[in-house]
Amino acid sequence: MKNIINTGSAPAAIGPYSQGVSYGDLVMTSGQLPLDPTTMAFPAGGIKEQTRQSLLNVKAVLEEAGASLDTVLKTTCFLAKMEDFAAFNEVYSEFFGSTGAPARSCIQAGKLPKEALVEIEAIAYVK
């Protein structure tokens, strides 16, 4: 059965979508912008700060569904500028490590909502 995931620990949806959806043991998050869920503003700084916030938002949605960053199978990452790739990877590896990290696609997007520098979505499972 499909379940809608909704948590106050991640930003509310800014369109006609859910923060996440689970089906059986699988959990899929919507793309998480680097919005602070309490202020709905981006953190001060640049790509590193925005990457950290996006990943914290992914984590919050996963945890609401009973999953975790440890159970992520795949991420899709969208960068506004591929020049940010190295700095993005520094923060990404803080969350997922460098060995045993999930499968990942990382692309430069033409433009992200609200002029974000990054957006991240994930597919995980509940243990």
Side-chain angles (χ1 to χ4, degrees):
M1 182 165 104
K2 176 173 122 174
N3 293 304
I4 303 302
I5 302 160
N6 187 27
T7 177
S9 297
I14 57 173
Y17 61 89
S18 303
Q19 291 173 321
V21 174
S22 66
Y23 185 83
D25 292 338
L26 282 179
V27 179
M28 287 135 287
T29 73
S30 290
Q32 295 297 310
L33 292 171
L35 294 167
D36 180 305
T38 57
T39 65
M40 291 301 282
F42 294 145
I47 187 63
K48 288 183 177 183
E49 293 79 11
Q50 287 197 22
T51 299
R52 185 168 287 106
Q53 186 63 56
S54 286
L55 287 167
L56 290 171
N57 294 341
V58 166
K59 180 178 184 272
V61 174
L62 292 173
E63 289 177 350
E64 182 67 22
S68 69
L69 291 176
D70 291 339
T71 65
V72 172
L73 300 169
K74 167 91 168 60
T75 61
T76 305
C77 307
F78 306 91
L79 299 177
K81 299 182 297 185
M82 197 49 75
E83 293 84 4
D84 287 336
F85 188 68
F88 164 82
N89 272 334
E90 285 180 39
V91 176
Y92 187 91
S93 66
E94 292 173 17
F95 285 77
F96 292 111
S98 56
T99 60
R104 179 179 89 180
S105 299
C106 190
I107 63 167
Q108 179 175 322
K111 189 171 184 178
L112 294 170
K114 297 184 167 277
E115 306 293 330
L117 299 177
V118 63
E119 183 174 6
I120 303 169
E121 62 185 32
I123 299 172
Y125 64 94
V126 177
K127 286 186 181 178

